[in-house]
Amino acid sequence: MICVCRKPTEISHNFKTWIVQLCLLLIVMCMTASLSKAAEAQSKILLINSWHQEMPWQKAFEKGLKTTINTSKANILIFNEYLDSGRFPSKQHAQNFRDYLVTKYAHMHFDVVLTEGLPAANFLLNNPDVLPNVERLFVERGFHIENVPTIPIGFDFAGAIAEMDRLVKPKTVYVVADTSTKGRKLRLNTFQEALKTTQVGFEVVYLNDLPMGSLLEKVSNLPEKSAIFYLLLFKDAQGQPISPYRAVQLLAQQANAPIFTHWRTLMGSGVTGGYLLSGELVGEIVGEAAIAIVSGGPVPDAADAVFGYYYDWRQLKRWGISLDKLPQDVQLLHYEPTLIEEYKGHFISLLTFIVGLIGVAGWLVYSNRERKLAVDALEHERLGLSKDIQQRTEELIESEKKYRSIFEASRVGFALCKMDGSLIECNQAYLDIIGYSEQEALKLTYWDLTPRSFEAQEIEQLESIEKTGSYGPYEKHYIHKNGHNVYVLLNGTKLKGIDGNEYIWSIVQDISERKQLEQSKTDFISTVSHELRTPLTSIKGSLGLIVGGVSGRESGKSDQLLSIALGNADQLIALVDDILDLEKLQSGKMELNFEDIDLVQLVYDTVALNQGYSLKYGVEFHVEKLTQDVHVVADRVRITQVITNLLSNAAKFSPKGCMVHIFITTETEMAKITVRDHGPGVSPEFKTKLFERFSQEDASDRRKYGGTGLGLSICKTIVEKHNGEIGVVSEQNEGSTFYFTLPRLINT
């Protein structure tokens, strides 16, 4: 027989292991019991929504509901389901949805079933076998359901009408409505009943069930003192479903009168605003009702808590409506602050900095005075004032720290130099101007930074500082570490150090941007003078020859001279037109006449109008064929102007015999026009300035191609006012491809 004897340490180890495993088992059992009790105590709510979850109203409603539930102490879990009746209205879809709910929640207990919207309420009433023993609660907007518990969220069209009348005092109000269903007819009837209760003096015109094209044409030609009240559209010009949000966007693009409505979720789509029903506030009320039902309390009354005053600042500005006319409790959306409002904090910080700087300067003067008194006292009482000396020294150290922080944080360059120009100390702003690190800058000589061409000017400034103790302000160049010149403005003062040596304290400002603006102005004056002088000289010469009789009685010769004069006069008119167009676009005074345009036909027409450029420069315009129609809402004249500018540039810069290609392509919501040439291309450093005013790669009078440098800037502004984009893809010596986009008009 073999006996196995275990050591005492091994037995002790196994015993400890058993104890740990037993404790872990008890902990798991306790946690499982706690979770089971928590799950049993948790209340469950099923929310059946009428629409799909991406609808703005649905998002706002769910946000308010979840906010109220999550911020309360109630332990409630919400399950969301979406009937999506707007996109799927068929009975078969409703039956499939019913089967889906019955199967999914067959073994789950709910405390209450909520419905949001009339389609979801009707679905639950028509399918009583869906969760039959669970309490129902219907949330209805503007409709009443008999014999069922309901949270009524009524329409307040009267309040919305009164607010519109108060704000703009219209003579005529055009009501845009859709009556294709019973619910939509009921909405219009509710509006008409509310209108009867209001004391307004305007005329009402109903634009019901119109095709989108006719409706857009109507609202773009409304008389003065008109307003539009939008009661939701659900169909486009082809009778196809369209979201109310997209419909009001199309209306806002064409309408020449402000648009009012009743729903907060339409804000941001071109609606001016008004007294509106908030989906988020409705969700909060429903959340409170759900909590009350679960806890056995009374259901709250929504009353007027779901309405408020909301306005879009951009639309108020568009229609010239003063902010002073808005109610005190208004919520102003998309507000763009003024320059003073936007930079108020910066102004206050700057003022605080200046006041602080003055205080620091005063403190420094005071500290220096105190130090002198301490030194004088030290001569008389050296032995008894050691403690005071230490205190004053600490004050000076603190003062030096404050000075140093101001010195380093300043955006203006400061430099302390010897009289020979060698640098002793500088701040970061100065180093940013010259591009060197502090270690590198301390090794530089004066002429490492200053071109020798300024030697005479430097001698003059040194004479000034010797005579007056200061120099400048004067302008010069610094040579940047990268090799380019930096325009700077300098002034300074001669100081005497505690070591007895003299130093120069300089203030340096980078004025490169100002110089660039001055150069742009000079280039523009030179360009305009050239563009005016050349045709004027030709006109004067031609007319002089005719008046002087040099052309004789030959009418052909006279006609030729007059043609030259006429051509140059056209150049002058084009130059003046460019300048006037630019001024109108920049000041917002240019009116754009938007209309439905066949973009393909417009391109062909514009190419035909510009065949003169093709013949003049010996190139061929070729439009790539497009099989489909492309329609946009745009100003025909201004888009023709953009295409003409791109064609004329392509013709001017392409070698003779080359072909200029024009493409028309489409994307999801945008149409794109592309003009590709075989010219010299655009240099990388100039590409970023190409669409700026007066920008030309060669701005001298002797430039090869002519022009004022305004055309592409005007094109950019026109395209952006059409909510499009303009750009260029170009490599030097490989040609350029200019393009611009416009929003498409879909299903027209």
Side-chain angles (χ1 to χ4, degrees), residues 389-585:
I389 292 174
Q390 182 180 1
Q391 180 181 351
R392 299 306 179 195
T393 302
E394 291 175 355
E395 290 178 355
L396 285 174
I397 292 173
E398 184 65 25
S399 176
E400 171 63 20
K401 289 181 180 178
K402 292 181 180 179
Y403 158 76
R404 176 61 59 182
S405 65
I406 296 172
F407 176 77
E408 292 296 339
S410 174
R411 296 183 180 179
V412 177
F414 292 113
L416 182 64
C417 302
K418 296 180 181 179
M419 293 301 292
D420 63 359
S422 58
L423 184 66
I424 298 176
E425 190 177 7
C426 64
N427 67 349
Q428 186 59 45
Y430 180 83
L431 295 173
D432 292 340
I433 293 173
I434 63 176
Y436 290 92
S437 67
E438 184 176 5
Q439 292 77 10
E440 293 171 334
L442 293 175
K443 298 176 183 179
L444 299 175
T445 67
Y446 188 79
W447 296 109
D448 288 334
L449 291 177
T450 301
R452 284 287 180 178
S453 57
F454 287 93
E455 188 168 359
Q457 188 177 5
E458 295 300 311
I459 293 173
E460 181 181 340
Q461 296 301 322
L462 285 174
E463 291 175 352
S464 173
I465 201 169
E466 290 292 348
K467 292 178 181 179
T468 65
S470 63
Y471 74 93
Y474 76 105
E475 298 178 4
K476 61 181 270 190
H477 290 164
Y478 269 162
I479 303 173
H480 193 272
K481 181 180 180 180
N482 294 336
H484 65 272
N485 289 333
V486 180
Y487 280 100
V488 291
L489 178 67
L490 296 96
N491 63 290
T493 304
K494 182 168 67 174
L495 303 174
K496 192 169 185 177
I498 58 176
D499 57 1
N501 295 323
E502 292 182 338
Y503 300 93
I504 300 176
W505 178 257
S506 297
I507 300 175
V508 185
Q509 301 180 59
D510 186 347
I511 58 171
S512 300
E513 185 175 353
R514 189 188 80 188
K515 284 294 184 181
Q516 185 177 358
L517 292 175
E518 292 175 355
Q519 185 61 41
S520 297
K521 178 181 178 182
T522 302
D523 290 344
F524 174 66
I525 293 173
S526 174
T527 298
V528 171
S529 65
H530 170 77
E531 295 297 331
L532 290 174
R533 188 190 311 116
T534 301
L536 282 174
T537 301
S538 179
I539 292 171
K540 180 180 178 181
S542 299
L543 296 178
L545 290 173
I546 294 174
V547 173
V550 175
S551 63
R553 297 179 179 273
E554 298 179 11
S555 60
K557 185 66 174 180
S558 299
D559 291 344
Q560 183 180 3
L561 293 173
L562 288 173
S563 297
I564 293 173
L566 180 60
N568 284 285
D570 289 339
Q571 291 183 20
L572 291 177
I573 292 172
L575 172 61
V576 173
D577 286 344
D578 277 353
I579 295 174
L580 291 177
D581 282 349
L582 182 63
E583 190 278 332
K584 288 180 180 178
L585 287 167

Side-chain angles (χ1 to χ4, degrees), residues 578 581-582 585 641 710-719:
D578 277 353
D581 282 349
L582 182 63
L585 287 167
Q641 180 179 351
L710 297 176
L712 288 177
S713 176
I714 293 173
C715 290
K716 182 175 184 292
T717 306
I718 291 174
V719 171

Side-chain angles (χ1 to χ4, degrees), residues 265-439:
T265 50
L266 293 175
M267 296 299 293
S269 303
V271 173
T272 301
Y275 186 63
L276 308 180
L277 174 64
S278 168
E280 187 172 345
L281 294 179
V282 171
E284 292 177 2
I285 292 295
V286 174
E288 294 174 2
I291 294 171
I293 291 175
V294 170
S295 60
V299 176
D301 184 10
D304 296 330
V306 295
F307 292 91
Y309 295 98
Y310 304 89
Y311 282 99
D312 189 327
W313 179 83
R314 300 169 301 181
Q315 299 301 320
L316 295 174
K317 182 179 179 183
R318 175 186 178 186
W319 302 113
I321 300 173
S322 172
L323 298 182
D324 295 335
K325 299 178 68 176
L326 301 182
Q328 290 185 351
D329 55 346
V330 69
Q331 291 192 33
L332 196 59
L333 309 177
H334 307 293
Y335 179 69
E336 297 176 7
T338 63
L339 183 64
I340 293 177
E341 291 173 335
E342 184 174 1
Y343 294 100
K344 180 179 179 181
H346 295 284
F347 292 148
I348 294 174
S349 298
L350 180 60
L351 182 60
T352 304
F353 174 76
I354 293 173
V355 172
L357 188 61
I358 294 173
V360 169
W363 174 254
L364 289 174
V365 172
Y366 171 77
S367 297
N368 287 331
R369 175 176 173 275
E370 290 297 314
R371 184 180 64 172
K372 185 177 181 302
L373 292 174
V375 171
D376 292 341
L378 184 62
E379 293 296 328
H380 298 88
E381 302 178 11
R382 293 179 183 177
L383 300 177
L385 297 178
S386 58
K387 187 176 180 180
D388 289 342
I389 292 174
Q390 182 180 1
Q391 180 181 351
R392 299 306 179 195
T393 302
E394 291 175 355
E395 290 178 355
L396 285 174
I397 292 173
E398 184 65 25
S399 176
E400 171 63 20
K401 289 181 180 178
K402 292 181 180 179
Y403 158 76
R404 176 61 59 182
S405 65
I406 296 172
F407 176 77
E408 292 296 339
S410 174
R411 296 183 180 179
V412 177
F414 292 113
L416 182 64
C417 302
K418 296 180 181 179
M419 293 301 292
D420 63 359
S422 58
L423 184 66
I424 298 176
E425 190 177 7
C426 64
N427 67 349
Q428 186 59 45
Y430 180 83
L431 295 173
D432 292 340
I433 293 173
I434 63 176
Y436 290 92
S437 67
E438 184 176 5
Q439 292 77 10

Side-chain angles (χ1 to χ4, degrees), residues 471-714:
Y471 74 93
Y474 76 105
E475 298 178 4
K476 61 181 270 190
H477 290 164
Y478 269 162
I479 303 173
H480 193 272
K481 181 180 180 180
N482 294 336
H484 65 272
N485 289 333
V486 180
Y487 280 100
V488 291
L489 178 67
L490 296 96
N491 63 290
T493 304
K494 182 168 67 174
L495 303 174
K496 192 169 185 177
I498 58 176
D499 57 1
N501 295 323
E502 292 182 338
Y503 300 93
I504 300 176
W505 178 257
S506 297
I507 300 175
V508 185
Q509 301 180 59
D510 186 347
I511 58 171
S512 300
E513 185 175 353
R514 189 188 80 188
K515 284 294 184 181
Q516 185 177 358
L517 292 175
E518 292 175 355
Q519 185 61 41
S520 297
K521 178 181 178 182
T522 302
D523 290 344
F524 174 66
I525 293 173
S526 174
T527 298
V528 171
S529 65
H530 170 77
E531 295 297 331
L532 290 174
R533 188 190 311 116
T534 301
L536 282 174
T537 301
S538 179
I539 292 171
K540 180 180 178 181
S542 299
L543 296 178
L545 290 173
I546 294 174
V547 173
V550 175
S551 63
R553 297 179 179 273
E554 298 179 11
S555 60
K557 185 66 174 180
S558 299
D559 291 344
Q560 183 180 3
L561 293 173
L562 288 173
S563 297
I564 293 173
L566 180 60
N568 284 285
D570 289 339
Q571 291 183 20
L572 291 177
I573 292 172
L575 172 61
V576 173
D577 286 344
D578 277 353
I579 295 174
L580 291 177
D581 282 349
L582 182 63
E583 190 278 332
K584 288 180 180 178
L585 287 167
Q586 294 296 327
S587 62
K589 295 180 180 179
M590 176 174 285
E591 295 184 359
L592 298 178
N593 299 314
F594 289 95
E595 58 178 314
D596 183 350
I597 296 175
D598 184 341
L599 189 60
V600 177
Q601 187 61 46
L602 180 65
V603 170
Y604 277 104
D605 292 345
T606 307
V607 170
L609 290 173
N610 287 276
Q611 287 302 321
Y613 284 113
S614 172
L615 297 174
K616 179 178 178 180
Y617 294 102
V619 299
E620 180 181 350
F621 292 147
H622 177 72
V623 181
E624 299 294 336
K625 292 184 178 180
L626 186 70
T627 57
Q628 66 181 34
D629 291 337
V630 181
H631 285 258
V632 296
V633 177
D635 187 307
R636 183 183 298 274
V637 174
R638 295 303 170 187
I639 297 303
T640 300
Q641 180 179 351
V642 173
I643 300 173
T644 297
N645 186 277
L646 299 184
L647 291 176
S648 65
N649 286 346
K652 284 192 294 185
F653 288 98
S654 293
K656 287 187 177 180
C658 288
M659 181 176 292
V660 175
H661 296 272
I662 301 97
F663 302 88
I664 309 167
T665 56
T666 59
E667 298 176 0
T668 304
E669 296 184 352
M670 305 297 288
K672 183 177 182 180
I673 296 177
T674 305
V675 178
R676 181 183 301 162
D677 63 48
H678 299 278
V682 182
S683 64
E685 59 271 14
F686 182 67
K687 193 178 297 183
T688 58
K689 304 176 182 178
L690 189 61
F691 293 95
E692 296 179 1
R693 291 179 294 173
F694 318 123
S695 62
Q696 291 180 316
E697 201 152 9
D698 175 11
S700 67
D701 282 348
R702 296 182 298 276
R703 65 196 182 285
K704 179 179 178 181
Y705 299 106
T708 62
L710 297 176
L712 288 177
S713 176
I714 293 173

Side-chain angles (χ1 to χ4, degrees), residues 157 173-179 184 187-188 191 204-212 215-216 218-219 222 227-235 244 247-248 251-252 255 258-261 263 266:
F157 286 126
V173 172
Y174 292 82
V175 179
V176 177
D178 181 346
T179 63
R184 296 165 191 172
R187 182 185 298 111
L188 178 60
F191 173 85
V204 179
V205 177
Y206 291 95
L207 305 177
N208 298 341
D209 305 317
L210 293 180
M212 183 61 71
L215 182 59
L216 293 177
K218 284 274 189 183
V219 300
L222 300 180
I228 300 171
F229 199 95
Y230 179 64
L231 283 179
L232 306 184
L233 290 180
F234 296 87
K235 293 184 178 180
V248 76
L251 284 176
I259 301 176
F260 294 84
T261 188
W263 294 271
L266 293 175

